[in-house]
Amino acid sequence: MAPARAMDDSIGGVIGSPLDQRDFYEDLKSYHAERGTNLDVNARVNGKHIDLYTLFGVVNKKGGYDVVSSEKLAWRKVGQDFHLGQTNTAAYAFALKTVYYKNLAQAYEIRRIHNQEPPPREILEDISAKGGDLLTRTLENFRPPQSRDYAGNGNDSDGSGEEDRKTPKEEKMDLDEPGSGGRVTRGLRQAPPQRQLFQPDISSSRQIRHTSNNVLSPQPLIQSSSNAYNYNPSSNPNSGSFNISNYEPRIQVPLTLRPVLTPGNNPALFREKLKKIKEAQAAKLGKVPPSYKGMMLPGTGFDGPNIYVRTLLALRSGIPGEQDYALHHLVKISHERGDKYKFEAFPGLAEGLIEKALEVGSLFYDVKWVISYSDDLSTHEADVLDGMNGTHDLLKRIGGLRHISLHDEVETEEHNRKLSKINEAGLVIRNMSMLEDNAKYLSDQHPLRDFLTIALNLPHDVSLVELKHYALDISEQLTKYWSLDASDPLYLSLLEYLNDGLDRGAALTTLRALSRISMNLEDSNRLQGVPLSAIRQLCEWTLLDDEELVAACLDFFYQFTAMSENVASLLTHTANGNFSFHPLISQLGRLLLHNSQESSSKRTVSPPVPLKPATEIPSLPNDLIEQIMKCNEPDRSSHWLRACFEEDPESDITQIALWQSYQARFTRLSSAQNPLLAAAEFIKNVSTTFPTANAQVISGVNPRFIIKGIRPRHVPMDTKGRVYSRCLWRTPEDGKTCGDFYLKPGDMWEHLITSHIGLSKNQESRWNFFEVKTAAALNGRKFTCHWAGCQHFSANGGCDDPYEVGMHVKMHLPDIGAMAGHRAKFNKPGAPDRSSSSFGSGKNDSSSEYIDLHGRPAVYDYFPWYNTAVDERGDAVGLPLTGVLVLKNLTRNIPKALDALEGESDIFAGSTRKQEWMERLLGPIRPRLAFVLAHNRPLAPYVSDLITAIENSLEG
C-alpha cells in the first residue's frame, strides 16, 4: 500500500476525530464487508495509484461528493492534485470520481460525515457515478441519468468523459415497433436538441448502416388520442431508450506499446541468435568452437584509457607515429585545457616532452642528447646530460660540437617533419608552463634548464626562430624559481641573446626573464657580469617611443642598480670614459612625467570688488542728445531712460526725481510740435521701457512714490547699445575729475591732448608737438599724466616732451575693437592690465575713483598639475614610478660603490670626491625633481624621499 501523500488535507478534522491512515483503512474495510460491497484499495487511474485516505480528505475539504459534483470542472481540479496527466483530463476526472463513488461515497461521506443512512446498493454502488445528490437519493425519487440531457443540467461537474459524447455501439438496442404508442406518450418534439445522440429508423426493425452521408432522421409518428396510454420507455430494459440512459462509458486505459524486435532496432540480439544457430550446426558436425567464457578478450571488458593517458603512453612509446598522434592532441589540450592540465597528474609527461624537444640537437649537430639520472662516469660524455643536478659545462660541450650544414640550405621533408614535431613539443611545454603549478613542477626538472640552454645556443637559422621564442617564454615563467649565478649556462645564454638585440619580441622576453630571476626565492637577483655593450643598448632603448620595451628596460635597471657591485662597475667604466651616466639619469628624470595629464587648480588672489551704485543721473553728451531729439514721444523718453538707467531689482528712484530730471533735460529743447509727455504717461512709459520696473508707494507718515527696479548708470549708453567712456583726468588745482563722455577712443584722445595737455593742430592739420615743447622748455613747464591718479611721470617730476605724454595717455583709452574681449581674456603677464575694465584701462588705473566707477573682477591664480598614471587605490604606477625607484637605487648605492672603490683609484678617494661625484651625477636633475614634487601628486611622496636622500648624500 502506497503511503499517503504529504498534503494539508487531513481527515482528522473532517470526521471529528484524529483518525490515522491505518485506522481509516480498517474501518473502511469493515464497513464494506458489512454492506456487502467490494473495496478496491489499490485503485488506479491512468496507471497511477489513488490513495483513498488522501482522496477522502481532499474531496471532503471541498465540501463533499455532492458539492464537488455540482461544481463545473471540480473533479478535474481534484485530478490535478493527483497529477493524472494533461491530456484526456475528462476521462481521468470521471475515473477518479468513480473510484470515490464506489469506495467512499456511501461509507464516510454519508454515514460518518453526514450521519445518515446511505441509499441501497441498487441506486448507488451498482449504477454509474454520473450525477450527484446522494444525500437526497431514494428509490422513489431516483431516475437514471439521461446521458447528455443529464450531463447538461449542471449537476455533474465532468460527466462521464469522452464516451458520453458518442453513441454506444457496443450494445444492440431494441427499437419501438411502428405503430406503437410509445412515442405518443412522450409527446412531439418541436425543437429537438442539436446534439441528439441516437434516433432509430422507424422504417425497419433492423439497424441499417448507410454508406452515404445523407442520413435521414426518423420523424415521430403521430397517434390518435384514443390509443394513447401512459408508458415510460426508459423503464423498459428491452427499450433502446433504456440502454441509452443507462449507458456507462468504459474507462480509457493508456495503451502499453511494446516494440517489435527486429534486426534494425536490436542487432545485438539477432547477432547472438545467429551465433547460437551457427554453433548448433557446428556441434552437429562435431566442430565445437573453443569456449571463451570468463576470459577477457583484447578490446573487451573496459573502454580503454582516456585521451590524456592515451597521449602520455603514445609519447613515451618511442614510436614515431604514436608520438605524432600524441603531440598533435597535446597541443590542442594544452591550449584549451591549460588551466587544468597539470604535469603532476601525469607522471612522465614532462620528461617525455623534454626528451622529444632535445632531439633538435641531432638535426643541427652531430650529437644525440641523452639524459642520465645516475652519478656514474657516463655523465662526463659530451652527449650525456646530468638529469639530477644539471649540466654545468653545457656551453663548453656545445662549443665543441660539429655543425651539420644543409646542402644549399634546403631542408628535406624528413628534416622538416622532425623539426615540426620538436616545435610542437616546445609549444606544449610553453603552454603548460603558463599555469603556476606546472611552472613550479617544471622548475625542478634539471633537463629542462639544459634544453633551454641548448635551444638558445642553436645556430641562427630562420627555421629555429619559433623554437627559440618558445624557449624564451618558458624561461620567463621559470626563472623566478631559479637562482642563477654569473656562471650558469642559462644565465650566460640569456645575456648573450640580449646582447644580440636582433628581435624586439625576443628582447622583451629576455629582459623579463632576467628581471624575474629569484623572484619567488629568498636569494637576491644580483645580475652580475652583464656586458657593458648590453647596458649601453638598454640605455638607448629607453629613448624609444615604445612604452612596453622601455618598461622592460626600467625593470631590468631596477634589479641591476639594487646591487652596489653593479653600480661600482658602471662608475669604473664612467671614470675610464667607457660609459656615461648622464644620458641614463637625464632620461629617467624625463620619464617622471611620462604621459602626464595636465590640469590646474584655481586659487583666489583677490576677491572681486563690485561696482558701486551711481548717485547721480549722468549728463548726456551733445551727440547723444542730438540722436534722442530726432525721435518723437514716447520713443524719446524711452531712449533717454535706456541711456541713463539700467535694470536692477534691488534699486529704486523716486518718481519726482525721475520726472524732474526728464524735464530739466528736454524742456528747453521741446517744441509745440513735439511736446514732453505728461507725468502720468511718463511714469507708465518707464514700466514699458523696463519690464521689471514698476511704480510703487511706500506707506508711512510721508508716503514715497518710487520706481522700483532701475538705477542710474555710471556712464550713458547710446541708442545702439554702445557705452560711452568717461574722462577721468583730474585738474591739478582742485583735483576735480573732468567727467566728459566720449564714445570713440579717438575723440577721447583728442579731448585729452587739446583740453588737458594743451596741444593744437596747425594749418597743415598736424599737432604742434614741437612748438609746445619749445615753449614749455622756455617756461620750465613739465608735462605729466593726471588720469585717475596715474603716477607714471611722478618719479621724475614730469616729462619735457608732450609727445611722450600724448602717446602715454593712449593706454588709458578704451579698447572697443573686434578683439577686445579676446585680448582681455588672454592678456599675458607684462602687458598692460586691462582686466579691471571693459574699456581697457591701464595698470595704473587702480584709484578708488576708477574702482567705484568700473568695479574690479576677482583675480585668480591657476596652479598647473601634471599627474601621471595611478592604480585603483590612487598610487603611482607605470614608467614614472619605476624611473623614480631606479633613481633611488642609484642615490643609495652610489655612495656605497664609491666607498668600495676608494682604495682602487684616487679618482674615488676622499669625502670631497664623493660629494663631487654625487653633484656630478645627480645634481643636474635636482630642478626637475623639484618641479615633479610640486606638480605631480602621485609621485610626490617618492620624489620627496629621493630629494631628501640626495641632499643627505651631498651634505656628507
Side-chain angles (χ1 to χ4, degrees):
M1 183 183 300
R5 295 190 333 140
M7 302 177 63
D8 295 335
D9 308 282
S10 175
I11 67 172
V14 177
I15 64 177
S17 62
L19 193 62
D20 59 6
Q21 186 175 3
R22 179 178 299 177
D23 296 336
F24 168 80
Y25 279 102
E26 291 179 357
D27 196 12
L28 187 61
K29 290 179 181 179
S30 62
Y31 184 85
H32 274 274
E34 179 182 353
R35 186 173 175 85
T37 55
N38 295 325
L39 173 63
D40 188 6
V41 179
N42 297 320
R44 290 181 175 273
V45 176
N46 193 19
K48 295 184 179 180
H49 173 72
I50 303 299
D51 188 359
L52 300 180
Y53 179 86
T54 305
L55 178 62
F56 186 80
V58 171
V59 173
N60 283 276
K61 190 173 183 180
K62 296 180 179 294
Y65 179 89
D66 289 348
V67 175
V68 175
S69 298
S70 62
E71 182 182 352
K72 187 176 182 180
L73 302 180
W75 283 105
R76 295 191 187 185
K77 297 178 181 178
V78 176
Q80 291 177 359
D81 295 339
F82 289 87
H83 306 288
L84 298 180
Q86 299 297 329
T87 59
N88 206 7
T89 55
Y92 297 153
F94 184 81
L96 184 65
K97 177 181 179 182
T98 303
V99 171
Y100 189 92
Y101 179 86
K102 298 289 185 179
N103 297 284
L104 298 171
Q106 81 287 4
Y108 288 83
E109 174 79 29
I110 301 176
R111 174 67 63 84
R112 285 193 171 275
I113 302 302
H114 305 288
N115 295 323
Q116 297 182 15
E117 187 66 21
R121 288 178 51 183
E122 292 75 13
I123 60 175
L124 192 60
E125 288 92 347
D126 294 343
I127 62 175
S128 173
K130 291 185 60 176
D133 300 329
L134 298 183
L135 296 177
T136 59
R137 181 180 298 183
T138 61
L139 291 173
E140 292 75 19
N141 62 11
F142 174 73
R143 292 292 182 269
Q146 297 294 328
S147 185
R148 183 164 300 276
D149 293 340
Y150 185 81
N153 61 7
N155 295 329
D156 195 358
S157 63
D158 288 288
S160 58
E162 292 293 330
E163 293 197 7
D164 274 346
R165 301 181 180 92
K166 302 178 182 178
T167 301
K169 298 180 181 180
E170 291 81 359
E171 300 177 4
K172 188 174 181 180
M173 298 182 296
D174 294 335
L175 305 180
D176 295 336
E177 294 293 336
S180 66
R183 293 188 180 273
V184 178
T185 58
R186 286 182 289 170
L188 296 177
R189 290 187 179 180
Q190 300 299 328
Q194 294 183 1
R195 297 195 302 174
Q196 187 172 356
L197 290 179
F198 180 74
Q199 289 289 350
D201 188 1
I202 61 175
S203 62
S204 173
S205 60
R206 294 181 58 192
Q207 187 173 359
I208 301 174
R209 180 176 299 175
H210 295 273
T211 58
S212 173
N213 292 330
N214 300 324
V215 180
L216 299 177
S217 299
Q219 298 297 325
L221 181 64
I222 303 176
Q223 299 289 342
S224 62
S225 59
S226 60
N227 297 329
Y229 62 96
N230 292 330
Y231 172 70
N232 186 3
S234 61
S235 60
N236 183 9
N238 296 323
S239 173
S241 300
F242 179 85
N243 293 332
I244 293 175
S245 61
N246 291 276
Y247 169 71
E248 294 184 10
R250 292 186 304 172
I251 300 175
Q252 293 186 359
V253 179
L255 296 177
T256 303
L257 301 179
R258 185 172 57 186
V260 177
L261 298 179
T262 64
N265 59 21
N266 197 344
L269 177 62
F270 284 86
R271 193 184 307 113
E272 185 67 23
K273 290 182 177 180
L274 183 61
K275 181 180 178 181
K276 291 181 179 180
I277 294 174
K278 291 182 178 180
E279 290 178 355
Q281 293 176 354
K284 291 180 179 180
L285 299 176
K287 300 178 181 180
V288 180
S291 177
Y292 299 106
K293 186 175 182 181
M295 296 177 59
M296 181 177 293
L297 300 178
T300 62
F302 60 94
D303 297 333
N306 54 33
I307 186 63
Y308 304 108
V309 179
R310 173 75 173 84
T311 53
L312 173 60
L313 297 177
L315 180 65
R316 299 309 301 270
S317 66
I319 304 173
E322 291 293 324
Q323 288 184 340
D324 294 349
Y325 167 85
L327 291 173
H328 172 76
H329 287 280
L330 284 174
V331 169
K332 185 176 182 180
I333 293 172
S334 63
H335 175 69
E336 297 178 353
R337 301 299 302 273
D339 57 335
K340 297 180 180 180
Y341 195 42
K342 298 183 180 180
F343 281 117
E344 60 184 9
F346 302 96
L349 178 60
E351 291 81 356
L353 291 171
I354 296 171
E355 292 174 0
K356 185 64 179 178
L358 285 173
E359 293 180 5
V360 70
S362 61
L363 298 180
F364 297 91
Y365 296 102
D366 57 343
V367 65
K368 184 177 182 181
W369 298 109
V370 179
I371 303 175
S372 175
Y373 293 95
S374 62
D375 295 332
D376 56 11
L377 298 178
S378 62
T379 57
H380 297 286
E381 299 178 6
D383 59 347
V384 178
L385 303 177
D386 188 356
M388 299 295 295
N389 305 307
T391 309
H392 300 289
D393 59 343
L394 184 56
L395 291 178
K396 181 180 178 181
R397 298 186 185 186
I398 295 175
L401 298 176
R402 184 176 62 87
H403 178 65
I404 300 177
S405 60
L406 299 176
H407 297 286
D408 297 331
E409 297 185 356
V410 177
E411 299 178 355
T412 63
E413 182 180 358
E414 181 65 18
H415 180 278
N416 184 270
R417 188 192 67 81
K418 290 181 179 180
L419 184 58
S420 176
K421 296 306 173 183
I422 293 171
N423 287 337
E424 289 182 0
L427 177 58
V428 173
I429 299 175
R430 180 260 180 197
N431 290 343
M432 296 187 67
S433 65
M434 296 299 167
L435 185 63
E436 197 67 24
D437 294 340
N438 287 337
K440 186 171 178 56
Y441 180 89
L442 290 174
S443 64
D444 297 330
Q445 301 291 327
H446 293 282
L448 179 61
R449 190 189 298 189
D450 293 341
F451 161 70
L452 298 177
T453 304
I454 294 172
L456 295 178
N457 287 276
L458 288 171
H460 295 289
D461 193 280
V462 177
S463 60
L464 293 173
V465 172
E466 181 180 357
L467 183 62
K468 290 184 178 182
H469 275 279
Y470 294 155
L472 290 175
D473 290 339
I474 297 169
S475 301
E476 179 185 353
Q477 300 299 322
L478 301 186
T479 51
K480 56 187 173 183
Y481 297 105
W482 290 335
S483 179
L484 305 180
D485 55 22
S487 62
D488 190 271
L490 178 58
Y491 177 73
L492 295 175
S493 301
L494 290 172
L495 289 180
E496 183 64 25
Y497 211 83
L498 176 65
N499 198 25
D500 291 342
L502 301 177
D503 187 349
R504 174 188 176 275
L508 274 172
T509 312
T510 305
L511 285 172
R512 292 168 181 162
L514 290 171
S515 302
R516 296 181 181 184
I517 294 176
S518 306
M519 181 184 294
N520 290 7
L521 304 178
E522 296 182 357
D523 298 338
S524 299
N525 184 11
R526 310 191 71 85
L527 290 179
Q528 296 177 342
V530 181
L532 184 61
S533 58
I535 298 296
R536 291 200 195 98
Q537 189 167 250
L538 293 180
C539 293
E540 295 174 357
W541 287 349
T542 58
L543 301 175
L544 299 176
D545 187 15
D546 189 339
E547 185 172 353
E548 188 178 11
L549 182 59
V550 174
C553 294
L554 292 185
D555 289 339
F556 178 85
F557 276 125
Y558 175 72
Q559 298 289 341
F560 183 79
T561 57
M563 295 296 152
S564 59
E565 298 88 349
N566 298 334
V567 178
S569 175
L570 293 181
L571 288 175
T572 302
H573 290 298
T574 302
N576 297 333
N578 299 325
F579 181 75
S580 178
F581 261 114
H582 296 294
L584 176 61
I585 294 178
S586 299
Q587 179 63 10
L588 291 175
R590 286 190 289 269
L591 290 175
L592 296 182
L593 293 179
H594 176 75
N595 284 344
S596 59
Q597 300 294 325
E598 184 178 0
S599 61
S600 61
S601 58
K602 185 170 67 174
R603 181 176 60 90
T604 303
V605 177
S606 61
V609 177
L611 179 69
K612 288 188 177 181
T615 58
E616 299 179 355
I617 300 175
S619 59
L620 302 182
N622 294 330
D623 58 341
L624 182 56
I625 292 177
E626 292 177 1
Q627 295 179 20
I628 295 176
M629 288 303 300
K630 294 179 181 180
C631 303
N632 297 325
E633 295 292 352
D635 293 338
R636 179 173 60 188
S637 60
S638 297
H639 286 309
W640 178 78
L641 288 171
R642 293 191 187 98
C644 299
F645 297 91
E646 59 184 353
E647 292 180 307
D648 184 3
E650 304 298 329
S651 302
D652 61 76
I653 186 173
T654 59
Q655 297 180 12
I656 188 63
L658 186 62
W659 167 249
Q660 290 176 353
S661 178
Y662 170 70
Q663 278 189 324
R665 175 58 62 186
F666 295 104
T667 298
R668 62 182 181 85
L669 299 176
S670 62
S671 62
Q673 292 78 12
N674 192 9
L676 299 180
L677 286 178
E681 296 297 329
F682 176 76
I683 297 303
K684 291 181 180 179
N685 193 37
V686 174
S687 299
T688 304
T689 306
F690 300 104
T692 59
N694 55 83
Q696 297 181 3
V697 178
I698 307 299
S699 59
V701 178
N702 297 317
R704 296 176 62 244
F705 297 87
I706 64 171
I707 299 295
K708 183 72 173 179
I710 61 173
R711 69 178 181 185
R713 290 180 177 272
H714 285 276
V715 291
M717 182 179 68
D718 70 348
T719 56
K720 296 182 180 180
R722 296 175 296 182
V723 181
Y724 281 78
S725 301
R726 184 180 183 183
C727 179
L728 299 180
W729 193 279
R730 293 180 181 178
T731 307
E733 292 77 11
D734 54 8
K736 292 183 179 180
T737 302
C738 174
D740 291 345
F741 296 101
Y742 295 92
L743 185 63
K744 299 180 180 179
D747 297 340
M748 175 71 77
W749 186 73
E750 289 187 4
H751 164 73
L752 289 174
I753 62 177
T754 55
S755 301
H756 300 299
I757 298 178
L759 298 178
S760 62
K761 291 185 178 181
N762 54 24
Q763 295 179 356
E764 300 177 355
S765 299
R766 294 178 178 272
W767 296 101
N768 56 349
F769 287 106
F770 181 75
E771 292 81 357
V772 174
K773 178 180 179 181
T774 303
L778 296 176
N779 299 329
R781 178 187 173 188
K782 295 287 185 180
F783 298 95
T784 185
C785 179
H786 297 286
W787 180 278
C790 177
Q791 304 295 326
H792 184 71
F793 299 102
S794 300
N796 298 326
C799 178
D800 297 332
D801 191 357
Y803 178 80
E804 183 178 353
V805 178
M807 295 299 103
H808 162 75
V809 296
K810 286 186 176 182
M811 66 174 295
H812 300 299
L813 299 180
D815 186 5
I816 61 174
M819 299 297 293
H822 180 80
R823 287 190 289 270
K825 181 178 181 181
F826 298 100
N827 198 14
K828 296 183 179 180
D833 183 10
R834 302 178 184 270
S835 62
S836 60
S837 172
S838 61
F839 308 121
S841 298
K843 61 183 179 181
N844 293 325
D845 298 340
S846 59
S847 62
S848 60
E849 180 181 1
Y850 181 84
I851 295 175
D852 293 343
L853 183 60
H854 300 286
R856 186 178 67 189
V859 180
Y860 300 100
D861 182 19
Y862 294 89
F863 187 80
W865 292 99
Y866 302 93
N867 296 324
T868 50
V870 295
D871 58 8
E872 62 277 1
R873 297 179 298 178
D875 297 334
V877 293
L879 297 184
L881 176 61
T882 313
V884 74
L885 294 178
V886 174
L887 289 173
K888 289 181 69 175
N889 283 346
L890 292 175
T891 305
R892 183 179 65 252
N893 289 323
I894 286 177
K896 296 180 182 179
L898 293 173
D899 293 338
L901 297 173
E902 186 174 359
E904 299 181 5
S905 176
D906 296 338
I907 301 177
F908 306 107
S911 59
T912 305
R913 293 287 187 181
K914 184 183 298 184
Q915 295 178 3
E916 291 177 356
W917 274 98
M918 293 296 297
E919 182 66 30
R920 174 184 171 186
L921 298 177
L922 299 176
I925 66 166
R926 292 170 65 188
R928 179 74 170 181
L929 295 178
F931 181 85
V932 175
L933 176 65
H935 297 274
N936 192 322
R937 287 192 182 99
L939 282 183
Y942 302 95
V943 176
S944 176
D945 297 340
L946 176 59
I947 293 176
T948 302
I950 293 176
E951 296 297 332
N952 293 337
S953 62
L954 290 176
E955 292 177 359

